[in-house]
């Protein structure tokens, strides 16, 4: 069980790192247009929190679905 959690955490970290590399150009453009460092940090934190909340909601929904399926299986 712990291995699955660690794999999920590693996968999510990998996705966030890849996303950060991808939006580097966007951040540079926003900075060139006059956005402050605080605003860029705020935008990044909001986007990351929304992704985390969506991932948590999907994880809970999947867990509840699996629980419902497993509770419906009778063991003889």
């Amino acid at each position: 069980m712990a291995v699955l959690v660690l794999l999920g955490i590693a996968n999510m970290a990998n996705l966030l790192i890849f996303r950060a590399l991808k939006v580097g150009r966007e951040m540079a453009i926003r900075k060139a247009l006059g956005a402050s460092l605080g605003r860029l940090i705020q935008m990044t934190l909001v986007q990351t929190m929304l992704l985390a909340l969506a991932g948590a909601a999907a994880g809970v929904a999947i867990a509840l679905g699996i629980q419902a399926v497993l509770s419906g299986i009778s063991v003889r």
Side-chain angles (χ1 to χ4, degrees):
M1 182 67 176
V3 174
L4 290 177
V5 171
L6 287 175
L7 284 172
I9 291 170
N11 188 28
M12 193 64 186
N14 188 24
L15 290 173
L16 287 175
I17 289 170
F18 179 73
R19 186 175 180 285
L21 292 173
K22 184 178 168 186
V23 298
R25 183 174 181 205
E26 176 189 349
M27 292 294 176
I29 292 171
R30 288 179 184 272
K31 183 71 175 170
L33 291 174
S36 68
L37 181 61
R39 180 68 178 143
L40 293 174
I41 291 172
Q42 178 186 12
M43 182 184 72
T44 303
L45 286 175
V46 168
Q47 289 176 351
T48 303
M49 289 303 297
L50 287 173
L51 282 173
L53 288 173
V60 168
I62 291 170
L64 289 175
I66 290 172
Q67 181 184 14
V69 168
L70 291 178
S71 66
I73 298 173
S74 62
V75 179
R76 294 183 186 199

